[in-house]
Amino acid sequence: MFSFAPVQSVLKALRLLTEVNRCSVATVGELHRRTGMPKPTIVRLLETLIEAGYVTRDERMRGYLVTSQVAHLSSGFHGAPLVIEAARPWATALTRQIKWPCAVCLLDYDAVVVRFSTIPDSPISPFHATLGYRLNLGGRALGRAYLAFCPDEEREVLRAAMRTSTEPENSGLSDEDVEGMIEQARRRGYTERDPAAEPTNSATIAVPIKLGERVLATFGVTFFRAAVPNPEDKARIIHPLKKAAANIEAQLEALSQSMGVAFQGEK
């Protein structure tokens, strides 16, 4: 519920700016046809947008077009926010399907941080809340999914951070341990939490969300071990998880092309 009625002039101005952005050069007549707004209203709004620097009038082509100022409207909407927005509906749908909670994580130095969770949508979540949790790259499925699938050059930087980490899950891993984990993860297409990591009554399976070679986020499902006792039960989590991740990646690819987004993941 809104505390007040929307400001109609603002809604009209934003709608008009959207339509100008869709045209190479927009005329008042074309904007009238697209929006249904009266032409005098369109002219007043266009002149307001010109004053604000978002639109300019091209006298030679006798129409209106957006300026580079509109790029500022998306300066805070790239990388992390866009990944979470793309993942949110697929994660919610996955929890609706398999009932277990999902999490989407972003890299934070030698760990990943939970930035979105469907725990509120899950009737059988092992945890009450996980938003903001830091999950080590070495021992946690959502961290391992980043480490195992990121480019080799980036992994070398992350391994250097892990070696000096105060977290035993990171610093306690040898190069041979990491290489074995990566080989297994790439063969399977997913990672799992270290069985010795607490809490041992639950487990997580995770996959990367990638754009090209880059890992933008990790995506995982957490469940009670006792409720998923055999490979067939686990497969009923893994296959939908991989399918949802593929859908998120396809959406991100489409968004990056349509918006010209340069993804800047958080470090």
Side-chain angles (χ1 to χ4, degrees):
M1 295 292 293
F2 296 110
S3 59
F4 50 81
V7 180
Q8 293 300 315
S9 59
V10 175
L11 294 178
K12 290 178 180 179
L14 290 172
R15 184 181 176 192
L16 192 68
L17 182 59
T18 299
E19 293 300 333
V20 175
N21 188 51
R22 288 175 176 167
C23 303
S24 55
V25 178
T27 64
V28 172
E30 175 67 12
L31 292 171
H32 171 68
R33 185 184 67 79
R34 286 173 175 260
T35 66
M37 296 181 197
K39 291 182 179 180
T41 299
I42 291 173
V43 172
R44 287 197 300 271
L45 290 175
L46 286 171
E47 291 179 354
T48 301
L49 291 169
I50 290 171
E51 178 66 24
Y54 292 105
V55 171
T56 186
R57 176 170 172 78
D58 189 313
E59 296 293 346
R60 182 174 58 84
M61 300 186 72
R62 302 193 178 191
Y64 298 85
L65 60 158
V66 295
T67 71
S68 59
Q69 180 78 7
V70 298
H72 295 173
L73 297 175
S74 62
S75 60
F77 189 71
H78 54 78
L82 193 56
V83 171
I84 299 304
E85 177 165 300
R88 183 182 290 114
W90 297 107
T92 302
L94 181 59
T95 292
R96 197 177 299 126
Q97 176 186 351
I98 66 175
K99 308 308 177 188
W100 299 111
C102 306
V104 181
C105 296
L106 302 175
L107 182 66
D108 183 21
Y109 191 54
D110 61 352
V112 294
V113 176
V114 178
R115 291 302 179 89
F116 178 74
S117 170
T118 63
I119 284 177
D121 304 306
S122 171
I124 47 176
S125 173
F127 302 105
H128 293 296
T130 58
L131 278 178
Y133 276 27
R134 294 185 86 254
L135 304 172
N136 295 316
L137 297 179
R140 305 292 160 161
L142 284 151
R144 288 178 164 187
Y146 197 103
L147 186 66
F149 293 96
C150 69
D152 294 342
E153 297 82 0
E154 184 177 3
R155 186 180 306 105
E156 287 303 312
V157 176
L158 297 177
R159 283 292 292 136
M162 291 171 66
R163 293 186 188 102
T164 60
S165 174
T166 58
E167 296 290 341
E169 288 182 7
N170 285 337
S171 58
L173 287 178
S174 68
D175 291 340
E176 291 75 17
D177 293 332
V178 172
E179 289 171 7
M181 183 270 291
I182 292 172
E183 190 279 328
Q184 182 184 66
R186 291 185 172 182
R187 184 177 69 253
R188 292 175 168 180
Y190 65 89
T191 54
E192 295 186 84
R193 187 200 306 169
D194 182 346
E198 295 290 345
T200 56
N201 69 332
S202 66
T204 302
I205 293 172
V207 297
I209 296 174
K210 302 180 71 177
L211 186 66
E213 294 300 312
R214 183 171 183 184
V215 177
L216 300 180
T218 59
F219 182 35
V221 175
T222 300
F223 51 90
F224 288 112
R225 290 185 187 276
V228 186
N230 55 58
E232 290 77 17
D233 293 320
K234 191 179 288 187
R236 283 192 281 271
I237 294 174
I238 294 169
H239 295 323
L241 174 63
K242 287 183 175 181
K243 183 177 180 180
N247 286 329
I248 295 168
E249 289 176 345
Q251 185 170 341
L252 287 168
E253 178 66 31
L255 285 170
S256 69
Q257 292 180 4
S258 64
M259 298 173 62
V261 172
F263 283 87
Q264 302 293 329
E266 294 188 358
K267 300 295 184 187

